[in-house]
Amino acid sequence: MNDKELAELLKYSNPKELYIVTWNNLLKILFCPFKVSVLNDVGDFKKNQIVWVDEVKVTSELKTVYIIKNRAYYYHHFDIIIE
């Protein structure tokens, strides 16, 4: 995907919202900040630590990243906590 295609796609997104599909197939929107649990040690975070996601972005390869404390982490290091 080139930069122009990425820009076109991202103009419809919001870094403060994340749409998810729940375990029972319901579409739900999460607004930042939302809580996640750390699945494995990454950066300064330890396994099972609870942290807040400030923004959600994507890479040029369309991989989701969470912005936490002004640093970007791939989504697969975390599990979303829904209350």
Side-chain angles (χ1 to χ4, degrees):
M1 174 173 288
N2 64 37
D3 289 344
K4 185 177 178 182
E5 292 169 328
L6 182 60
E8 180 70 20
L9 178 67
L10 292 179
K11 76 179 184 181
Y12 300 107
S13 69
N14 182 340
K16 297 288 186 179
E17 299 174 349
L18 177 66
Y19 285 89
I20 62 168
V21 177
T22 64
W23 62 272
N24 54 345
N25 286 334
L26 296 176
L27 182 63
K28 186 170 184 169
I29 185 170
L30 297 179
F31 295 98
C32 294
F34 59 88
K35 286 195 290 189
V36 293
S37 175
V38 181
L39 295 175
N40 45 37
D41 293 357
V42 60
D44 295 332
F45 305 129
K46 300 294 180 197
K47 184 176 180 177
N48 298 323
Q49 184 178 352
I50 305 299
V51 295
W52 291 87
V53 174
D54 300 314
E55 290 186 326
V56 180
K57 303 219 177 188
V58 294
T59 66
S60 57
E61 295 83 27
L62 296 181
K63 293 185 181 182
T64 302
V65 294
Y66 294 156
I67 307 300
I68 304 169
K69 296 183 181 179
N70 294 320
R71 294 185 62 194
Y73 301 92
Y74 288 115
Y75 77 97
H76 61 262
H77 294 292
F78 305 91
D79 193 19
I80 297 172
I81 299 174
I82 300 175
E83 296 159 344

